[in-house]
Amino acid sequence: MADKKPNKFRQQEKIIENRELNIWEALIPVIALVGMLAYNVYVFGDDAIGGSNQFILLMGGAVAAIVGFLNKVSYKSMIAEVAENVKSTTGALLILLMVGALAGTWLISGIIPAMIYYGLQILNPTIFLGASVIICAIISIATGSSWTTAATVGIALVGIGDALGISPGMTAGAVLSGAYFGDKMSPLSDTTNLAPTMAGGDLFGHIRYMTYTTIPTIVITLIIFIIIGLNLETTGIADTTSILDTIDSTFTINGWLFLVPLAVIGLIIKKAPPLIALLIGTLLGALFALIFQPEIVAGITGGSELTFESAYRGILNAITIETSINTDNAALNDLFSAKGMKGMLGTIWLIVCAMVFGGIMDGIGALSRITKSLLGMAKTTFGLFASTVGSCLALNITASDQYLAIVVPGKMFAQAYADRGLAPENLSRTLEDSGTVTSVLIPWNTCGAYHSGVLGVSVADYFFFAIFNWLSPITTLIFAALGIKIKQLSQSTTTT
């Protein structure tokens, strides 16, 4: 988040305790929520995140309120706790809006296309699988979306791999490993913003802390794919000429464009507030769009020449609403689109509704009871991490949605981590290591169904080769068992 307030809030927060619920009373809203979400995803499929899941979260809050009323908890106290929860997410919500704005200007300036252009040129048949991981990681970091990466460049790579005689399952596994690594590490990713929000941490602190488990995991993944690639016999060549030609003819591609992401990275290293770093990145992206892509900016508004009005309108459209750049390559058209600040409203909606559910659970004392039970079962720090991983996996299987696999365990475990003196980065990292990346390994999960459909490869075929995805929760448990990089709460307050 943008400042220290969320961390302080989490440390000072006292979960409300009324007449203590028994564990089954406390679990009634959770069980009801999981059941309703599972059916909702079954009915709506990929569209569930578009609004119906958000309403189901409110219904879960209503069930929790009924439990509260039966235990003499006032409506006023529940709403007050909801208000405090929503207030604690203010920084994250503003960051999400700015992330949408940045994605828009980085598209029309050619920054994202440049990353794709140079990334595709490292393809080589001998190291095709390893190169596919790197390419998808670069594109996913740039776009913040594993779904977009898989549906565009991922499809192309599967086709290229097939032409080389490489199993589609192998290529799909490499694509998803790289795409989800980039998704986790990108400040543009909604799940990367969602996890620290639920845990009570800040965005860039979360990303920095994820590198401890994520970098070793992706390195191991790359080594395995390189070994596999060196022992494969490939035929033909990796032909990306048409894609590269399309990018080159649509955008002005040069190395100067990388000054913008380098500037943002520099600000992050210097620990500038995230909102300031993202705002500067957005404005620099807009400036570079006017310098290097004037035709693109004019074309957004239907014009052929850049005037002050068309420049103003084009930049503001890219920042605020959907922007699409049409090319001669249909596969690239989906990649060269951004949704601006408007595209983040769905995630913001989800966060607000999750805070309603969590606030009422706090207000009735249900979270207090659940966390006491969890701490009672998790006698060690490793046990707490293992319980978090297990909860994320269980929700990915039952609720069939990665967002809920972050939201529900995040809200339930936040106080448990604080009670053990553990910084919120521990929880947010574990949520991503086990909630975000494993969703693609479950056929009936929205992520598994989506990626299997767009890549044309069944989950069973790519499961083993999605190495990064199944190795990530194992890595986080190894770190927990050995006590490696387990940040204490006192460290968090002095370093963030």
Side-chain angles (χ1 to χ4, degrees):
M1 292 186 187
D3 54 34
K4 299 179 183 178
K5 282 181 68 176
N7 286 337
K8 290 181 178 179
F9 177 80
R10 284 293 172 194
Q11 294 167 45
Q12 296 169 359
E13 180 181 19
K14 302 292 184 183
I15 283 186
I16 293 174
E17 296 188 43
N18 303 290
R19 181 189 71 79
E20 186 165 339
L21 308 175
N22 64 52
I23 187 61
W24 293 111
E25 288 176 318
L27 286 174
I28 287 173
V30 177
I31 295 170
L33 177 65
V34 171
M36 289 188 290
L37 287 171
Y39 182 73
N40 191 62
V41 172
Y42 170 77
V43 173
F44 285 94
D46 293 346
D47 295 329
I49 198 63
S52 56
N53 272 351
Q54 284 88 328
F55 181 72
I56 294 301
L57 278 166
L58 296 180
M59 292 300 295
V63 174
I66 292 172
V67 174
F69 289 141
L70 293 175
N71 285 275
K72 311 300 182 184
V73 182
S74 71
Y75 173 81
K76 184 178 180 180
S77 65
M78 285 187 273
I79 289 298
E81 192 64 21
V82 168
E84 287 296 331
N85 273 338
V86 173
K87 180 182 177 182
S88 72
T89 67
T90 302
L93 300 185
L94 292 174
I95 285 174
L96 279 170
L97 289 174
M98 196 53 61
V99 162
L102 182 141
T105 61
W106 281 24
L107 171 65
I108 64 171
S109 64
I111 295 170
I112 292 174
M115 292 179 178
I116 298 168
Y117 183 82
Y118 291 114
L120 285 174
Q121 293 186 54
I122 68 174
L123 279 179
N124 180 289
T126 307
I127 58 169
F128 174 78
L129 292 172
S132 295
V133 174
I134 294 171
I135 290 168
C136 290
I138 292 171
I139 295 170
S140 198
I141 288 173
T143 62
S145 172
S146 59
W147 284 36
T148 300
T149 301
T152 51
V153 176
I155 293 173
L157 289 172
V158 170
I160 293 168
D162 192 43
L164 294 172
I166 298 174
S167 161
M170 285 186 182
T171 307
V175 166
L176 293 172
S177 292
Y180 272 83
F181 166 80
D183 192 308
K184 280 182 64 179
M185 301 306 295
S186 175
L188 305 182
S189 167
D190 47 9
T191 55
T192 305
N193 280 272
L194 187 61
T197 302
M198 292 299 104
D202 69 276
L203 173 61
F204 290 116
H206 165 63
I207 292 175
R208 285 194 297 270
Y209 202 63
M210 275 201 299
T211 60
Y212 296 125
T213 57
T214 303
I215 298 301
T217 305
I218 197 65
V219 169
I220 293 171
T221 300
L222 276 170
I223 291 172
I224 294 173
F225 274 120
I226 290 171
I227 293 172
I228 293 173
L230 291 173
N231 288 278
L232 285 176
E233 291 187 8
T234 59
T235 58
I237 60 172
D239 185 11
T240 59
T241 304
S242 63
I243 295 176
L244 293 174
D245 287 346
T246 299
I247 296 174
D248 199 28
S249 63
T250 306
F251 298 91
T252 299
I253 302 295
N254 57 56
W256 294 108
L257 295 169
F258 289 95
L259 289 176
V260 177
L262 286 174
V264 174
I265 291 170
L267 288 169
I268 294 169
I269 292 174
K270 292 294 185 180
K271 297 185 178 180
L275 274 174
I276 293 176
L278 293 172
L279 176 60
I280 291 174
T282 299
L283 296 177
L284 286 176
L287 177 62
F288 274 52
L290 295 174
I291 295 172
F292 294 107
Q293 321 294 342
E295 297 87 359
I296 295 288
V297 177
I300 291 174
T301 58
S304 57
E305 294 184 3
L306 189 66
T307 64
F308 180 82
E309 181 180 347
S310 63
Y312 179 82
R313 187 184 294 273
I315 294 297
L316 264 293
N317 281 350
I319 288 173
T320 56
I321 61 175
E322 296 94 339
T323 302
S324 297
I325 299 173
N326 294 320
T327 69
D328 296 331
N329 189 313
L332 287 175
N333 289 341
D334 286 338
L335 188 58
F336 294 153
S337 62
K339 297 181 180 179
M341 298 171 81
K342 179 181 177 182
M344 290 296 168
L345 295 180
T347 304
I348 291 173
W349 187 7
L350 178 72
I351 290 173
V352 171
C353 292
M355 291 298 99
V356 172
F357 173 74
I360 296 175
M361 288 286 284
D362 267 355
I364 68 173
L367 284 185
S368 173
R369 186 66 184 88
I370 292 171
T371 52
K372 284 180 182 177
S373 297
L374 290 171
L375 288 172
M377 292 185 291
K379 300 295 185 182
T380 64
T381 296
F382 173 77
L384 184 58
F385 277 78
S387 297
T388 307
V389 171
S391 297
C392 291
L393 293 174
L395 276 160
N396 260 330
I397 293 171
T398 56
S400 304
D401 187 87
Q402 66 173 347
Y403 295 98
L404 278 306
I406 293 173
V407 168
V408 178
K411 190 58 187 173
M412 286 199 310
F413 282 94
Q415 191 61 32
Y417 277 73
D419 288 346
R420 285 196 181 274
L422 299 173
E425 290 89 342
N426 295 286
L427 175 56
S428 62
R429 183 180 72 184
T430 306
L431 293 174
E432 289 247 65
D433 283 344
S434 52
T436 300
V437 300
T438 60
S439 58
V440 74
L441 303 176
I442 300 161
W444 55 87
N445 189 287
T446 53
C447 293
Y450 173 82
H451 287 294
S452 177
V454 299
L455 295 175
V457 182
S458 70
V459 174
D461 287 339
Y462 70 62
F463 185 100
F464 175 77
F465 298 104
I467 299 167
F468 177 81
N469 301 75
W470 55 257
L471 186 58
S472 289
I474 296 173
T475 303
T476 205
L477 288 176
I478 291 173
F479 271 59
L482 299 178
I484 302 173
K485 295 299 179 182
I486 306 301
K487 182 183 283 188
Q488 301 301 306
L489 202 53
S490 58
Q491 294 176 326
S492 179
T493 60
T494 58
T495 59
T496 58

